[in-house]
């Protein structure tokens, strides 16, 4: 392949190949988790970055500004860190309406305030008309690792349970519906939300959270497949247990998409030691962002690196990473 | 003004207005320095971000990749920090040649290695053909503040001397010459370089460095005007003392530009306590990136907030910030 395809940005296998074969070796990146973990004696800090290129910029339930703030907060949170500081880098297209810029920046400020995180530095660049797409936003974030926490696929072991904190598919399908001029009743709305407080409450319940990730690009399927490959174990999930709202299901059927691959922005998936799973689940359900939490599966030792879905009618399906470009520019 | 203009990104007064009137209050940014300074007891860390949208991507003396790495290293350095970690966020246009991407990423890796800084996390997004411009790169960086160092325009006082570490105008004019298909003898080349080691050697000589900045967008003029406004003092500089290479002067004359406003990527300007200035200057001249260091002026107490240039023919000129969009997309 000698040119970049849209699918290289969609969070699936093309992107993984690009990162694993090229970016990670060039930069000597050790881990493919959501944040780098760094020692700054006596602290361990998490440091991460994400650029946001979502289209459209404003969508039901949010806009690119709050998405950019919550997205990086969530990357830090699921790495086991308390998010502290964000930077914001704006790349704006010449001619972009000042009012839209103000709305977006206000949303970022409000989102940071809500989550109790500070935006501490910013940068603004402008590109010529026709050389951008309204606005792109990068956020980078620094967080402080919780004591005694080690979130890594390496810590997953047989018997662990898989918990999801809410319904899947809302963010991605809200964007797709907006792009396609479709409407649903009840309406599809992005689930974009900051997960730092939910994560804090989970750590209060137990330190036995082995793996945690927010299943954004590539959806729940890709996230679990990554966990299976990195741990060398097998993740078995039950279709019936996975909460999919009816309007997401409806939109997916109309567009020929699979909710397991749809991006989410306000939920997390955790793989938790079996004996503490019920306790964590209870705590999650007490949290406004975790009311629909449920156990959707468990970890087995074989077949290695596989995710197996037990379907509602009792069949088994092998789950792979997202291929190609199902949903470009979803975040 | 109800739409974003190219000049909003050029580092001059339009951008300052945008940041001061809108971004800084929304995010409650305290300082307009190059990095945020944060307490992470017992450390003080610097945290900064910059996006790079330079056009063309490859130019004499460098490319967008090393520029993005050195730029953030330099922002941390002139804040008085030892740069430690960077993140890299890539926004790539669909259809971008894979070979160019590899060249750029290799340059980033090589630049980080040379500067002794680690790129610890990355992100890749792809936008549709015609919705970007090849590649945009964001880098964010974390550094550790040197002990006993406080770089701030508030610390400048009357009698301080102004030192520049090298010749001005090389980066900006190399880009402009490339865009305009002009060639010079000797050729114009970007001065992009990492300043962290030069800064380290300056701190070895003295802690009495009151202000430091790398004069990128907006050039030396805009940087000094910012220092004058923030300190409430007057900066007097002598035109004869400012090193401008003949090919930069020639290109500026051809294009009707003023070298004082041209972006630089491998030099810094420092305002230093008078009694230590000579010592710092000597140390800087021993460093490969500081051989052409010179004292170009001094600080006076009035007229407040002004930068006054004493011209070669003995006249005086008031220096203002860059207005409008002299050089869009220079970094």
């Amino acid at each position: 392949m000698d040119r970049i395809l849209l699918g290289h940005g969609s969070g699936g296998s093309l992107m993984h190949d690009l990162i694993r074969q090229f970016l990670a070796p060039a930069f000597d990146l050790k881990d493919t988790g959501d944040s780098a973990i760094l020692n700054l004696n006596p602290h361990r800090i998490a440091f991460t970055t994400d650029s946001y290129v979502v289209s459209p910029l404003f969508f039901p339930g949010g806009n690119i500004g709050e998405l950019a703030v919550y997205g990086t907060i969530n990357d830090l949170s699921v790495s086991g860190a308390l998010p502290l500081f964000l930077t914001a880098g704006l790349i704006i297209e010449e001619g972009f309406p000042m009012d839209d810029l103000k709305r977006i920046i206000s949303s970022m400020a409000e989102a940071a305030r809500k989550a109790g995180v500070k935006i501490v530095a910013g940068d603004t660049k402008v590109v010529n008309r026709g050389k951008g797409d309204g606005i792109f936003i990068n956020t980078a974030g620094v967080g402080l690792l919780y004591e005694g926490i080690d979130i890594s696929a390496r810590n997953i072991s047989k018997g662990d349970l898989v918990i999801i904190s809410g319904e899947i598919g809302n963010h991605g399908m809200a964007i797709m519906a907006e792009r396609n001029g479709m409407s649903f009743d009840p309406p599809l709305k992005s689930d974009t939300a900051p997960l730092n407080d939910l994560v804090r409450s989970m750590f209060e319940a137990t330190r036995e959270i082995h793996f945690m990730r927010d299943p954004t690009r590539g959806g729940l399927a890709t996230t679990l497949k990554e966990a299976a490959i990195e741990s060398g174990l097998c993740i078995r999930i039950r279709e019936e247990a996975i909460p999919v709202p009816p309007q997401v299901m409806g939109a997916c059927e109309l567009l020929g998409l699979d909710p397991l691959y749809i991006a989410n922005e306000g939920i997390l998936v955790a793989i938790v030691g079996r004996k503490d799973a019920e306790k964590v689940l209870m705590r999650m359900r007490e949290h406004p962002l975790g009311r629909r939490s449920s156990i959707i599966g468990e970890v087995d030792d074989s077949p290695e690196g596989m995710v197996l879905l037990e379907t509602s009618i009792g069949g088994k399906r092998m789950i792979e990473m997202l291929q190609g470009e199902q949903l470009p520019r979803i975040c």
Side-chain angles (χ1 to χ4, degrees), chain A residues 61-139:
Chain A
N63 66 54
I64 190 173
E66 64 191 285
L67 191 67
V69 169
Y70 291 153
T72 291
I73 286 175
N74 293 350
D75 280 349
L76 293 170
S77 302
V78 297
S79 303
L82 175 73
L84 295 176
F85 307 116
L86 299 186
T87 59
L90 277 40
I91 298 175
I92 312 171
E93 187 185 1
E94 179 187 12
F96 191 64
M98 197 65 89
D99 283 345
D100 286 352
L101 180 62
K102 291 185 179 175
R103 266 177 79 194
I104 288 167
I105 291 181
S106 299
S107 290
M108 295 182 77
E110 175 66 13
R113 202 159 29 236
K114 263 195 207 162
V117 169
K118 278 197 69 70
I119 298 173
V120 294
D123 174 58
T124 308
K125 293 291 188 306
V126 180
V127 296
N128 318 63
R129 206 180 287 263
K131 299 294 184 183
D133 197 14
I135 188 170
F136 303 138
I137 300 179
N138 177 284
T139 49

Side-chain angles (χ1 to χ4, degrees), chain A residues 186-197:
Chain A
L188 277 164
K189 257 182 71 181
S190 168
D191 61 347
T192 178
L195 297 170
N196 51 337
D197 195 61

Side-chain angles (χ1 to χ4, degrees), chain A residues 223-266:
Chain A
T223 295
L224 291 178
K225 180 69 180 174
E226 284 171 17
I229 292 174
E230 286 171 34
S231 66
L233 297 168
C234 169
I235 297 174
R236 297 175 186 273
I237 52 175
R238 282 169 293 112
E239 190 170 32
E240 276 184 349
I242 301 169
V244 185
Q247 65 272 36
V248 167
M249 195 57 93
C252 278
E253 277 165 10
L254 271 173
L255 296 168
L257 299 170
D258 181 341
L260 286 176
Y261 291 92
I262 307 298
N264 313 282
E265 288 291 340

Side-chain angles (χ1 to χ4, degrees), chain A residues 237-296:
Chain A
I237 52 175
R238 282 169 293 112
E239 190 170 32
E240 276 184 349
I242 301 169
V244 185
Q247 65 272 36
V248 167
M249 195 57 93
C252 278
E253 277 165 10
L254 271 173
L255 296 168
L257 299 170
D258 181 341
L260 286 176
Y261 291 92
I262 307 298
N264 313 282
E265 288 291 340
I267 63 163
L268 61 80
V269 56
I271 300 181
V272 181
R274 178 176 282 262
K275 87 176 170 24
D276 283 4
E278 200 61 33
K279 191 163 63 177
V280 175
L281 186 68
M282 289 302 118
R283 185 63 71 97
M284 290 171 75
R285 286 188 176 157
E286 287 164 12
H287 195 281
L289 292 176
R291 285 206 197 95
R292 299 293 312 267
S293 296
S294 53
I295 293 173
I296 60 168

Side-chain angles (χ1 to χ4, degrees), chain A residues 193-220:
Chain A
L195 297 170
N196 51 337
D197 195 61
L198 176 64
V199 168
R200 184 197 51 71
S201 75
M202 292 167 68
F203 287 138
E204 276 178 12
T206 180
R207 303 269 139 160
E208 290 302 315
I209 297 168
H210 299 152
F211 176 86
M212 198 158 40
R213 196 70 70 84
D214 58 330
T216 56
R217 284 184 290 175
L220 180 61

